Amino acid sequence: MSPVPGWFRRSVPILSVVLVLGACGPAATSTAPSAAPPASVEASAAASASAASGASAEPSAVTGATCAADATVVKFWTSHTPPDSDALTDIVNAFNTANPTICVKMTIVPGAETDVAKLLTSIRGGVAPDVYMADRFTVPQRAAEGVLAELPADVAGMSADYLPFAWAETQFKGKTYALPFDTDARALWYNKDLITAAGEDPAALDISKGPATIDAVTKIADKVTKKDASGNYDVMGWMPAGPGAGGNPGAFDQGWHYTWGFVNNANFADLAACKVTPTDPGVVAGYQFMYDWAKAHDPQKVARWVTTNLPPNPPAAQNPLWTGKLAMTISGDWRIAEAAKYAPNGHYGFTFIPVPKAGDKGATWAGGWSMALIPDSKAQDQAITFMKYIAGPEGQKVYTKESTHLPTLNALLADASLYDPLHKQFLDLLPTAKSRPPLAVGAAYWDALTSAQGSVELNSKTPDAALKEVQDAVQPQLDAVGC
């Protein structure tokens, strides 16, 4: 892998987001009647769900290119926000232009990866979307719950087109419930200017030198960290774990339980035995690191800094990495596009996630999203046509270029035109990336691990105790549904 060059600048298209003001425009031939309710009805149902789940952001209805008045409407929901939703808008525009008998209307419904409260409310209210952008590791659980529809045989036969781990995440008991969309890889991002100002040499973190140790990164970070007159953190050297946005349990950026577990060679599940394994030594070691780092840096002060600098549902431009309030964080390839847009005058680099001991191999992991069909869609054929487009080469090429995520289509991984030298380095991480186990309790397991992470980061529970609670809570759920 080649060294990371100095800070880069590249053009990232900024796409317009248009509020849905009414039905689609001039006439064209319709292949099926539209069952879509008025935009205001759908938005109202989603807003009710938002209030019920305590979310702070309201849905935003977005349309693509002008649609024909008699085109069949396909309602598409995503939780993505700018800049990623800009790329999605561009894909929707292109699809609508190429398919004049279909009108895809995209609605941004902010929420967490495992939060489907808004979706459930819309299903009960009869105003559900046709296509739902689901965090892929949650698909088996949503399929088990009956929230997603099984896809037809021609879609299920597309498995060879996609990365094996991504396809595995769309399966439940041998049936296919989604099409893989994007994937990613994770690394340590760092602000060269803040590190230099603290008297440290950012070249020590160059990716050509291999993974730095956790201790080495912590020492650099502690030199960067600054406190205000009241003794509270003003600038943080790094946030290896959490808390998450608004000081809630979980991770700051990608400092998740899975991140530090994988760095410690953890096994989070035994699929052959149909068991979750949160008490695996590698998982415990990851939580112990989070516990120890928080203790050394005062959990309450760390939480106070996060609450100040990263509120819930923040615009990407407010990420402390771009505002100069944070020197290092675990994040992904999507930050390449964000940095060019929100910090064009900064100087950043990325390297391997830090490792426990010198000489340890670098570790990363890959996630990603998928396109799923909601049961009882009145526009099922048109929805599947859109799913094949957005999760196919047309959609994935646009998303890879504009959002700097990675594709899940095998054929696109070798398309050199999609990657600049920086993005290519994340692509080179993908063959060794680990992934979350595809479980029918994947979302529940994530939430339990996140709650345990919050307790450990506050030092209110030890790793052993917190992870034993995860085991006791999640394994009965898995036993009930099976693998």
Side-chain angles (χ1 to χ4, degrees):
M1 187 177 295
S2 60
V4 178
W7 182 231
F8 53 94
R9 298 183 188 184
R10 53 183 248 163
S11 173
V12 179
I14 302 175
L15 308 173
S16 62
V17 177
V18 185
L19 293 180
V20 173
L21 300 178
C24 297
T29 304
S30 175
T31 58
S34 169
S40 59
V41 175
E42 184 175 349
S44 176
S48 298
S50 177
S53 64
S56 60
E58 294 299 330
S60 299
V62 177
T63 188
T66 301
C67 295
D70 56 353
T72 300
V73 171
V74 171
K75 294 172 290 180
F76 168 42
W77 278 18
T78 177
S79 62
H80 283 22
T81 55
D84 289 346
S85 61
D86 296 339
L88 294 175
T89 301
D90 202 30
I91 297 169
V92 169
N93 284 344
F95 175 84
N96 286 344
T97 299
N99 297 269
T101 62
I102 303 173
C103 177
V104 175
K105 290 188 175 182
M106 185 173 84
T107 300
I108 298 172
V109 185
E113 295 91 337
T114 58
D115 178 12
V116 291
K118 303 176 185 68
L119 179 62
L120 293 175
T121 297
S122 73
I123 291 173
R124 295 189 197 104
V127 290
D130 303 290
V131 178
Y132 185 76
M133 192 170 176
D135 202 337
R136 201 166 48 246
F137 84 100
T138 69
V139 167
Q141 179 169 334
R142 302 311 173 206
E145 295 167 344
V147 176
L148 306 181
E150 179 186 353
L151 297 179
D154 68 311
V155 178
M158 298 167 66
S159 60
D161 296 341
Y162 293 91
L163 286 167
F165 84 86
W167 187 262
E169 291 174 329
T170 69
Q171 305 296 296
F172 177 62
K173 295 192 173 179
K175 297 179 179 179
T176 302
Y177 288 87
L179 276 176
F181 182 47
D182 66 319
T183 189
D184 45 41
R186 285 152 182 79
L188 177 72
W189 278 81
Y190 57 95
N191 183 320
K192 296 179 181 181
D193 294 332
L194 287 179
I195 292 172
T196 300
E200 295 292 316
D201 184 2
L205 299 176
D206 196 284
I207 198 169
S208 65
K209 298 180 179 179
T213 65
I214 291 172
D215 285 345
V217 171
T218 300
K219 287 178 182 177
I220 294 172
D222 286 348
K223 291 284 188 66
V224 176
T225 297
K226 296 180 180 178
K227 294 182 179 180
D228 61 22
S230 300
N232 292 313
Y233 290 119
D234 178 36
V235 176
M236 289 294 294
W238 79 317
M239 283 293 299
N248 292 312
F252 183 98
D253 208 330
Q254 296 299 300
W256 289 107
H257 29 70
Y258 278 103
T259 299
W260 295 112
F262 286 143
V263 164
N264 284 278
N265 298 308
N267 291 309
F268 282 86
D270 182 342
L271 296 179
C274 201
K275 300 291 184 183
V276 293
T277 56
T279 58
D280 175 89
V283 181
V284 176
Y287 274 73
Q288 189 64 55
F289 161 63
M290 293 188 286
Y291 183 96
D292 293 342
W293 185 89
K295 185 176 182 179
H297 293 84
D298 191 326
Q300 297 300 329
K301 288 185 178 179
V302 172
R304 194 174 301 129
W305 180 88
V306 173
T307 301
T308 299
N309 289 278
L310 195 72
N313 300 303
Q318 290 184 11
N319 190 306
L321 188 64
W322 310 141
T323 63
K325 292 293 186 178
L326 177 67
M328 291 184 278
T329 185
I330 308 299
S331 200
D333 43 12
W334 58 91
R335 299 296 181 202
I336 297 173
E338 285 190 13
K341 184 173 182 179
Y342 301 125
N345 298 316
H347 300 88
Y348 295 82
F350 52 82
T351 187
F352 297 99
I353 298 171
V355 294
K357 303 186 304 296
D360 285 352
K361 292 183 178 180
T364 189
W365 63 279
W369 295 74
S370 63
M371 300 297 161
L373 181 70
I374 298 302
D376 302 320
S377 166
K378 301 300 190 298
Q380 177 174 312
D381 291 345
Q382 293 81 5
I384 291 174
T385 297
F386 171 65
M387 290 168 60
K388 289 180 177 179
Y389 180 95
I390 192 170
E394 300 94 339
Q396 288 204 27
K397 281 182 180 180
V398 171
Y399 201 68
T400 299
K401 289 286 286 184
E402 295 186 6
S403 74
T404 60
H405 285 73
L406 296 171
T408 53
L409 284 167
N410 293 315
L412 298 186
L413 298 174
D415 185 347
S417 70
L418 298 178
Y419 314 98
D420 67 15
L422 292 169
H423 201 187
K424 175 66 164 54
Q425 293 190 65
F426 279 98
L427 178 67
D428 290 343
L429 292 173
L430 197 55
T432 59
K434 301 182 181 182
S435 59
R436 291 166 289 197
L439 294 165
V441 293
Y445 193 22
W446 175 278
D447 288 344
L449 289 168
T450 299
S451 178
Q453 180 172 343
S455 298
V456 163
E457 288 166 343
L458 289 175
N459 288 175
S460 62
K461 291 179 183 175
T462 64
D464 287 331
L467 290 168
K468 179 61 166 58
E469 290 179 1
V470 174
Q471 177 78 41
D472 292 344
V474 177
Q475 187 58 47
Q477 298 179 53
L478 184 57
D479 291 340
V481 69
C483 290

